[in-house]
Amino acid sequence: MVITTRNNLNAETTLPERLPRHVAIIMDGNGRWAKARGLPRTEGHRQGTENLRRILRAAVEFGVEILTIYAFSTENWKRPRAEVRVLMSILEMVIDRELDDLNQEGVQIRHIGEMEGIPQVLQRKIHTAKELTKQNSTLILNVAFNYGGRDEIVSAVRKIVEDGVPADQIDEALISSYMYTSPLPDPDLIIRTSGEMRLSNFLVWQGTYAEYYFTPTFWPDFNREEFLKALVEYSNRTRRFGKIDEQLSNRDVP
Ligand code: FPP
């Protein structure tokens, strides 16, 4: 069963009824997109950034509540210095150029990852973007920047120890509350573009029961229609959370 309009959808768009609340995306393939066209990798990142605007708009249109994007991993520091600089400057540029529009559109910007290590100027811009948009609720955009899933778990454990939490009070809910993503719900759907089929240290704790969607399309070409295809596929999956079909009264509730 499908509904035909939601928010300001194009009249001809058919959206599945069961949508993920929280979609996370590994925006992979910028470099290969550029190489295939004989262009420098930076041009791939530029096109990838343009595409992010389109997908953000589509997420709002489709009624996705939370979008988490993997923009820079703790492992990406190993890339050539010039490319690291470009990736840092992309986030700066996105904040400089897009912050007012994103704010007007009701996007709440959050950051997940370690602040330490990010250049001071960029840290301040991230802070400004978070502060300015913290009351917005149309879409929550979680930017994973200087983020690693294992690193997140290590830092959560450190904080738990620092807070002196007794061992018998440590359970899954408590650990979740120490994650960067807290208090947001875990992702329902994790998309990875470019044909790679691995998690690459993304949302290691939170992705346990997510549905995964892999597509060979490189990130700059992952458009609204491809996004919609992923949502349709998600709607056709049965989420069992360890149970069997007969036990499921509401397929989305663990
Ligand atoms: C992967 O492509 C992509 C990244 C390392 C992140 C870049 C993401 C963007 C430019 C989108 C917007 C970014 C921000 C900061 C808001 P890749 O370089 O790994 O591609 P490859 O696997 O083909 O080499």
Side-chain angles (χ1 to χ4, degrees):
M1 161 101 177
V2 287
I3 50 173
T4 44
T5 50
R6 184 174 171 128
N7 299 336
N8 296 315
L9 275 183
N10 290 345
E12 69 276 12
T13 300
T14 345
L15 252 196
E17 200 172 70
R18 201 168 62 90
L19 280 170
R21 281 184 72 192
H22 183 173
V23 177
I25 309 184
I26 304 176
M27 311 177 289
D28 199 10
N30 292 344
R32 279 164 288 160
W33 182 93
K35 193 173 174 197
R37 287 161 180 78
L39 298 167
R41 292 177 59 82
T42 47
E43 181 56 21
H45 293 316
R46 208 178 67 77
Q47 290 299 329
T49 310
E50 286 300 309
N51 193 47
L52 178 57
R53 284 155 147 236
R54 292 190 283 268
I55 292 302
L56 263 175
R57 216 163 290 141
V60 172
E61 180 196 353
F62 296 155
V64 170
E65 292 171 42
I66 307 159
L67 188 70
T68 299
I69 53 161
Y70 206 6
F72 190 87
S73 77
T74 44
E75 286 70 36
N76 286 152
W77 293 107
K78 296 175 197 154
R79 292 192 174 198
R81 273 173 61 177
E83 181 163 340
V84 168
R85 267 201 300 273
V86 166
L87 291 169
M88 296 289 145
S89 67
I90 282 178
L91 184 55
E92 258 194 79
M93 182 206 71
V94 168
I95 296 174
D96 287 346
R97 280 213 218 140
E98 313 284 342
L99 183 57
D100 284 344
D101 282 356
L102 291 171
N103 188 34
Q104 297 266 319
E105 287 160 24
V107 177
Q108 181 189 135
I109 298 172
R110 295 171 60 111
H111 167 246
I112 61 170
E114 277 296 329
M115 270 293 187
E116 205 184 314
I118 298 175
Q120 293 281 329
V121 183
L122 183 51
Q123 283 191 31
R124 279 196 290 276
K125 290 189 179 183
I126 294 171
H127 182 73
T128 306
K130 279 166 55 182
E131 278 301 305
L132 181 72
T133 63
K134 67 182 179 197
Q135 306 294 349
N136 293 345
S137 57
T138 306
L139 174 79
I140 294 177
L141 175 66
N142 255 331
V143 183
F145 199 89
N146 197 19
Y147 173 87
R150 286 188 169 188
D151 179 73
E152 179 179 31
I153 294 170
V154 170
S155 98
V157 171
R158 282 200 183 130
K159 282 184 220 137
I160 291 168
V161 173
E162 278 164 18
D163 288 352
V165 181
D168 63 359
Q169 279 180 32
I170 298 176
D171 57 14
E172 291 188 14
L174 180 113
I175 294 179
S176 291
S177 75
Y178 276 82
M179 292 288 151
Y180 297 129
T181 42
S182 175
L184 303 176
D186 289 342
D188 303 295
L189 172 66
I190 299 182
I191 297 171
R192 182 167 190 154
T193 58
S194 92
E196 305 294 354
M197 296 195 195
R198 55 178 174 266
L199 205 48
S200 298
N201 207 9
F202 188 45
L203 301 178
V204 175
W205 174 266
Q206 300 90 333
T208 322
Y209 278 110
E211 293 295 324
Y212 289 83
Y213 180 86
F214 298 102
T215 168
T217 306
F218 292 143
W219 172 249
D221 290 332
F222 184 83
N223 57 20
R224 180 184 173 281
E225 281 60 43
E226 296 256 354
F227 190 16
L228 188 56
K229 233 164 74 182
L231 299 183
V232 169
E233 166 136 359
Y234 170 87
S235 75
N236 291 326
R237 305 250 183 107
T238 303
R239 304 183 76 193
R240 296 191 189 82
F241 301 99
K243 298 177 184 172
I244 63 168
D245 280 339
E246 289 69 22
Q247 294 174 294
L248 303 174
S249 50
N250 177 341
R251 294 195 303 173
D252 273 353
V253 177

